[in-house]
Amino acid sequence: MTEGSEGIDPDALPSSAGCVECEESDGWWFHLRRCARCGHVGCCDSSPGRHATAHARATGHPLVRSFEPGEAWFWNYRTERLYETGPALAPPSAHPEDQPSPGPAGRVPPNWADTLR
C-alpha cells in the first residue's frame, strides 16, 4: 500500500477490544474495523451501528484496517479502495480470538442475521 498511506500512524494502539460506541450503549457488532490513524475500533457497515464509517466521517480519518483475526486488509473510505495489505500497526492486530463474531457474547440477538445491513 502506498497510495493513501499518509493517514496511517503505525504506533496508535487500538482503542478497545470491541466497538467503542457499541460497548458504551450495550450494543453489538458483526465485524470490527480499526482506524489506521488513531486506533479507534468501530463496527462495520453490516453492523447496526456502523460506527467505523461514522468515525471516518466525523474525524476525516479515511483508512481502516480489519480488526478481525486472520485479516490484514485496509479500506479507504475516501477513495472506496481496498488494499489487501499495508503497513504493520501496533499490536494487537485483531480482537481476542475468544471474542465471537458477531459479538460481544451475551448481547447478540437471536435473529442477528436478519438485522444485518
Side-chain angles (χ1 to χ4, degrees):
M1 167 194 256
T2 54
E3 177 188 337
S5 61
E6 70 280 352
I8 295 176
D9 179 353
D11 298 321
L13 298 173
S15 60
S16 177
C19 175
V20 172
E21 291 83 2
C22 287
E23 291 286 11
E24 291 172 353
S25 66
D26 289 329
W28 66 276
W29 54 82
F30 183 51
H31 288 135
L32 298 172
R33 309 293 178 240
R34 172 186 176 175
C35 177
R37 180 173 293 170
C38 71
H40 175 272
V41 175
C43 55
C44 71
D45 284 352
S46 293
S47 302
R50 304 175 71 180
H51 293 120
T53 296
H55 172 79
R57 287 182 180 147
T59 62
H61 299 170
L63 295 165
V64 292
R65 183 180 184 269
S66 175
F67 201 54
E68 294 297 317
E71 297 181 0
W73 55 263
F74 287 76
W75 175 258
N76 187 321
Y77 285 105
R78 189 176 299 135
T79 64
E80 297 187 352
R81 185 165 177 195
L82 176 71
Y83 299 91
E84 295 198 24
T85 62
L89 301 180
S93 61
H95 64 76
E97 292 272 347
D98 63 350
Q99 178 180 295
S101 289
R107 290 206 313 248
V108 180
N111 68 334
W112 67 268
D114 296 334
T115 66
L116 294 180
R117 296 179 185 250

